[in-house]
Amino acid sequence: MDTKIYFNQSAEDTAKALGVDLSTGLTKKEADERSARYGKNRLEGGKEKTIFQMALEQLKDFLVIILIIAAVISVALGETLEGVIIIAIVVLNTILGVYQENKASNALKALKEMASPHAKVLREGKIIQVASSDVVPGDIAILEAGDYIPADLRLIETVNLKIDEAALTGESVPVEKDAQALLKEDAALGDRVNCAYMGTVITYGRGKGVITDIGMQTQMGNIAGMLSQVPDESTPLQKKLDGLGKLLGIVCLGICVLIFLLGLWHGMELFDIFMTSVSLAVAAIPEGLTVVVTVVLAMGMQKMVKCNAIIKRLGAVETLGSTTVICSDKTGTLTQNKMTIQKLYDGERVYHVSGSGYSPEGAVTDMDGREAGDSVKKLIEGGLLCNDASYHPKDESIIGDPTEGAMVVLAYKCSMEKDAWEKKYPRIQEIPFDSDRKLMSTFHKIDGQIVMYTKGAPDELLRRCEKIEIGGEAVSLDDQKREEILAQNQRFAEAALRVIGVAYRVTDRAEASLEMEDHLTFVGLMGMIDPPREEARDAVAVCKRAGIQVKMITGDHKITASAIGRQLGIETDRTVEGREISQMSDDELRQCVKKTNIFARVSPEHKVRLVDAVRADGNIAAMTGDGVNDAPSLKHADIGIAMGITGTDVSKEAADMILTDDNFASIVRAVAEGRTIYSNIRKVVGFLLSCNIGEILVILFAMLFDLPVPLVAIQLLSINLITDAFPAFALGMEKEEPGVMERKPRDPAEPIVNKKMAVAVMIQSLALAAGTLGSFLYGLYVHDSLDVARSACFFTIVLGELLRAYSARSETVSVFRMKVFENGYLNKCVLASVAFMAASIYVPFLNPVFSTVPLTVDELLAALLFAFLPMLGGELAKLMQKKLK
């Protein structure tokens, strides 16, 4: 069934189409038949992955496959220790990955829990309570304040009915419902005032509705379907590391072929050629890379907590740093989600109200900065007394309707506390708000008189006013003044302010009859809005400097979205509404999102299409949201960001990251952290690759010149897993470099090893190979000892890589211009590695294990001098990089 065929036809026609008598409801037999035909009113989810399936997913990574092959070959060649260590790395990485995935999304489960457990329905002329899963299309649902809507329905009766649909549509205030309304076929979800939807909650009034759709056919079911259809995609970092793994695979294969050919050229035995070439291929793989990257990301998750961001998925840490477009919801993220009165009008002047949100701090002044007079205080008093909300200034919270809450906060700014005012002027009668007349009135005893205050829609209120209070006196309200008031109302509305009018009447009786709301005296207008967060405005400016586009995607009205966008500095050619998106093809939408930054009145389907359109243009898209309606788009985005305070459980489960303070500025701080983490991962990759390739070149050049093997297998293994991995980990802990948010986002398609890094790695590898071979040749020919030569070679390559680690702390800044020992992690890792190297050379029982001998002072000095070459190579690489585009 499709709800859209019901909101543009009458309740009677809807009942006829569904085959139900509105006065008696369905019979038990009809309900049972429909239950058998349509099934239960439940949301369905996709099949959940088992732990074993999650583990297999982790093992599909190309780099992991290479590591497994390397481990098997190592064991086959007798290097059992190396094989066991590599397998341990793979197992550790798999456990970490499965743990993170198992903790993450179960959005469908949270969505199911939002359904109402019970529903009241009319069957055979009697109201009965049934499980919400047992309602069927055609059931007449009875609706009361506090109830959850059990399924999608067409309203057939409404009495002051208001429904909070924020979780579904993003509408910041409860929606007034009207069963008699007939809507156009293209009416947006948020405009369907004659319908109600599963999972939303009634905040005021009562009503009845005929159920049109249940289970997966509801709007909530549509969202559940979209969630279950979203495939789990690799993060940009996973894709880049997979690409790096494939590159290393090609390099390994190339090394095997090259060494095999060299072996044949030198007349070596085939078995020896095979052993040497495969051993070198295994040495080419940076075994520590996978674990180092995983640990760096995990540490990044901890750092993000300080930015008020909880990361649920390891890869999301880096993904955030590569973001090129942030698609943000408006309410509560860019705005405070606290209705605030900003403007007042007393029939003569406009007044400004300072302060924001529910803070009691603020004042009312005219445009010249003078304090407000008695005329404005009467307006504030009317809004305070004709009001059912309460305010707690200590924790800055309200209970009740947000619009009424804003009026109570305004009064508090003028030292008018509600409790004191209600004791002073007690309410003796009232005429409740009604959505038809759009007014509310309360009667009070004031100075021995009965005064009725009325508030509501300005146009409705003005029609009932015959006087206006000017300077403390009630004078006749002529047509000219009436036009002035309506014009001011229009100016407030164009500034996206929600406008409420206030009037009063002095009467001799407190009678709750609608006739009492005639012959009113107009007092003034109040203009309110959910204001932008101050820090959000600055954060949008930071995004601009960082080359990140900010797009506002909201279910709120076009005028409100445009006004908030202008205040935040979100520039756009125009504001596009959801109904326009529905008429666009995917290609047209792709072109639209390039130049449009504000989208209003959008549905969940529109949000998904917008995110997909942004990504289709090669962008890395972050999406923020707090409602159920945001969940599918959060899943579709490269990184979904949910609100921790106002967010629904569904949005939190669907997201990759949760903001604990619901603040857009926290996203920007997290982006800076993400950029730093990616920069550090690049440093780790560059460092490890240059070390491993340098080691390969040492062996390769030795073979080319028919020299003995400079490094034995245990030395290569210890270098890869100890003296490379620990400094690499320390590089991953580098602090944020200056100007990280002044750079443009990197090209999402760019690999980790780009042109600049490839050149730098080759220069550094050649420098490492030159220094190491120089030390080896010195020991071999000057001291005429292979053991001394290998020990000196081992000393030089270890110390050379450790010294180069200091140079690798920045890809652009010279080591001579930075605070060399600022990274405490690196200092400790270097000391530990130096201690290991010294022990392997000077502790007697370790000499046979590592094929080393103690070095004399002159041998040490020579090896030390050669060890500075790799660091100088790193500095040369930085100079060369500046010349590359």
Side-chain angles (χ1 to χ4, degrees), residues 72-382:
V72 172
I73 292 172
S74 297
V75 172
L77 295 177
E79 300 294 342
T80 307
L81 178 61
E82 181 171 348
V84 169
I85 291 173
I86 294 173
I87 288 297
I89 288 170
V90 171
V91 170
L92 175 62
N93 190 63
T94 302
I95 291 171
L96 285 170
V98 170
Y99 174 72
Q100 290 297 328
E101 186 176 350
N102 197 40
K103 274 179 65 182
S105 281
N106 196 1
L108 289 173
K109 182 179 177 182
L111 197 60
K112 292 172 189 174
E113 289 173 356
M114 286 192 69
S116 170
H118 297 97
K120 292 186 286 290
V121 295
L122 180 68
R123 288 185 183 171
E124 298 180 344
K126 297 178 182 178
I127 296 174
I128 63 171
Q129 182 169 283
V130 298
S132 62
S133 59
D134 291 335
V135 301
V136 296
D139 259 329
I140 308 297
I142 310 302
L143 311 172
E144 296 175 351
D147 289 349
Y148 276 88
I149 306 296
D152 287 4
L153 50 87
R154 169 64 164 90
L155 294 166
I156 58 176
E157 180 185 307
T158 52
V159 181
N160 303 328
L161 184 65
K162 291 185 182 181
I163 298 179
D164 182 357
E165 297 182 344
L168 189 64
T169 65
E171 185 76 59
S172 53
V173 293
V175 179
E176 295 175 17
K177 295 295 183 176
D178 181 6
Q180 303 307 312
L182 291 178
L183 308 173
K184 295 180 180 179
E185 288 189 15
D186 62 351
L189 187 65
D191 293 327
R192 297 176 192 172
V193 294
N194 58 8
C195 293
Y197 300 101
M198 176 193 271
T200 58
V201 64
I202 301 168
T203 60
Y204 194 84
R206 57 188 173 82
K208 292 180 183 178
V210 56
I211 291 176
T212 57
D213 299 283
I214 64 170
M216 295 302 288
Q217 301 303 311
T218 62
Q219 292 293 330
M220 203 71 81
N222 184 37
I223 290 170
M226 286 191 284
L227 282 173
S228 63
Q229 290 167 12
V230 180
D232 291 328
E233 294 187 10
S234 298
T235 65
L237 180 63
Q238 286 172 326
K239 293 173 185 175
K240 288 180 174 68
L241 287 175
D242 199 46
L244 178 61
K246 290 172 183 175
L247 174 66
L248 289 174
I250 293 169
V251 169
C252 291
L253 188 61
I255 290 168
C256 288
V257 172
L258 181 60
I259 298 298
F260 192 83
L261 293 174
L262 282 172
L264 289 176
W265 183 36
H266 284 296
M268 292 173 61
E269 293 290 330
L270 282 177
F271 181 75
D272 292 337
I273 296 173
F274 176 77
M275 290 275 286
T276 305
S277 59
V278 171
S279 296
L280 265 183
V282 171
I285 300 167
E287 291 92 342
L289 178 61
T290 305
V291 167
V292 169
V293 169
T294 302
V295 172
V296 168
L297 290 175
M299 295 290 285
M301 289 175 73
Q302 299 304 313
K303 287 184 180 179
M304 290 286 194
V305 173
K306 296 177 183 177
C307 300
N308 298 307
I310 298 172
I311 303 293
K312 293 169 57 184
R313 192 161 54 99
L314 277 180
V317 177
E318 181 277 332
T319 306
L320 192 62
S322 63
T323 299
T324 58
V325 177
I326 299 176
C327 302
S328 179
D329 186 31
K330 176 185 73 68
T331 306
T333 309
L334 293 169
T335 64
Q336 299 178 30
N337 198 21
K338 296 175 180 178
M339 292 300 288
T340 305
I341 294 175
Q342 293 186 334
K343 300 290 182 183
L344 299 174
Y345 174 67
D346 66 356
E348 289 189 299
R349 298 184 190 85
V350 173
Y351 296 85
H352 174 70
V353 183
S354 61
S356 65
Y358 298 149
S359 169
E361 303 298 323
V364 180
T365 56
D366 64 16
M367 293 299 112
D368 297 322
R370 293 174 300 205
E371 284 192 17
D374 291 339
S375 61
V376 172
K377 288 187 178 175
K378 185 135 190 173
L379 169 62
I380 296 169
E381 182 180 89

